[in-house]
């Protein structure tokens, strides 16, 4: 299991179900070009997340956890025909998490961070070191099993730090601002309630 340090707590990852990976490059005109086959064998992964630069080269990368709990890094290349380099092993023990999301640099480190929620609902931050690896994890807080989705959104609050949207099963959505502080990397700011037929309302 990854190393651990505990900071002062504050109160998909997405299942990889397709055996073939495909990429659709943005056209720059509000749409996408035709999809490009990236590779096969993705069924070995049960969680995949990407969009954050983990290696310090300015290109977004992909992280994938396999069913045995091994975490793999697929470095982005910037090449549309071969968008990822050969995978590298990050570590083992990641099977304790049921949700991972590459959120960007929320904690003031040299590269993007990885948020991971364990099966008891505790959220942990793995601070990116800039070489594709992570510093020992720090505890963000408990109770995160109340959310069905944790979405890396980029800088929603316009303060220069990426943020996190957390969505409950009933559709209510909370915004957590990235702080740049590794001890308390997220700060709850806003909550929107969801009414069927009316959409989101600012509730707090």
């Amino acid at each position: 299991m990854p190393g651990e340090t505990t900071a002062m707590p504050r109160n998909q990852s997405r299942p990889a179900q397709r055996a073939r990976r495909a990429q659709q490059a943005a056209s720059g005109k509000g749409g996408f070009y035709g999809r490009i086959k990236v590779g096969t064998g993705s069924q070995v992964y049960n969680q995949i997340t990407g969009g954050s630069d983990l290696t310090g080269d300015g290109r977004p990368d992909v992280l994938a956890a396999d069913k045995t709990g091994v975490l793999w890094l697929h470095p982005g290349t910037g090449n549309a025909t071969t968008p990822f380099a050969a995978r590298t092993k990050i570590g083992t023990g990641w099977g304790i998490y049921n949700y991972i999301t590459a959120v960007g640099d929320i904690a003031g480190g040299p590269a993007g961070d990885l948020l991971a929620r364990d099966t008891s609902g505790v959220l942990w931050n793995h601070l990116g070191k800039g070489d594709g690896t992570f510093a020992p994890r720090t505890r963000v807080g408990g109770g995160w099993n109340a959310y069905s989705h944790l979405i890396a959104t980029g800088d929603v609050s316009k303060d220069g730090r990426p943020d996190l949207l957390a969505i409950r099963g009933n559709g209510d959505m909370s915004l957590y601002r990235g702080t740049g502080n590794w001890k308390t990397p997220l700060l709850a700011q806003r909550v929107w309630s969801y009414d069927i037929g009316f959409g989101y309302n600012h509730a707090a």
Side-chain angles (χ1 to χ4, degrees):
M1 188 174 72
E4 173 180 333
T5 55
T6 302
M8 295 179 62
R10 287 192 62 88
N11 285 354
Q12 135 239 155
S13 97
R14 299 161 185 81
Q17 298 175 348
R18 295 189 178 90
R20 298 198 309 173
R21 297 193 299 274
Q23 170 182 283
Q24 287 185 274
S27 66
K29 300 178 181 179
F32 295 92
Y33 295 111
R35 68 178 184 174
I36 300 168
K37 182 179 177 181
V38 175
T40 60
S42 292
Q43 73 275 9
V44 302
Y45 300 128
N46 58 8
Q47 297 192 80
I48 296 176
T49 183
S52 175
D53 177 20
L54 304 170
T55 59
D57 63 359
R59 302 193 183 281
D61 307 306
V62 165
L63 289 166
D66 68 26
K67 296 173 184 177
T68 67
V70 177
L71 186 70
W72 299 89
L73 170 69
H74 294 260
T77 64
N79 187 324
T81 57
T82 54
F84 299 104
R87 69 178 189 175
T88 58
K89 184 178 179 181
I90 299 299
T92 61
W94 292 81
I96 63 172
Y97 299 122
N98 60 17
Y99 208 109
I100 60 174
T101 184
V103 72
D105 178 16
I106 60 171
D113 304 324
L114 179 65
L115 289 173
R117 184 184 66 191
D118 67 27
T119 54
S120 66
V122 176
L123 188 68
W124 301 87
N125 186 49
H126 297 261
L127 187 143
K129 295 168 64 177
D131 60 358
T133 65
F134 299 96
R137 68 180 189 172
T138 56
R139 189 179 192 270
V140 177
W144 287 82
N145 50 2
Y147 298 113
S148 58
H149 295 81
L150 302 175
I151 302 171
T153 61
D155 183 12
V156 173
S157 56
K158 298 182 180 180
D159 62 359
R161 293 283 179 192
D163 305 310
L164 180 76
L165 284 176
I167 303 176
R168 296 177 182 267
N170 64 358
D172 288 354
M173 180 168 60
S174 299
L175 171 65
Y176 289 85
R177 290 175 49 204
T179 66
N181 184 337
W182 70 271
K183 292 183 178 180
T184 54
L186 293 174
L187 177 66
Q189 184 181 36
R190 290 185 176 182
V191 178
W192 291 269
S193 62
Y194 185 78
D195 294 325
I196 295 176
F198 296 94
Y200 285 101
N201 297 304
H202 182 210

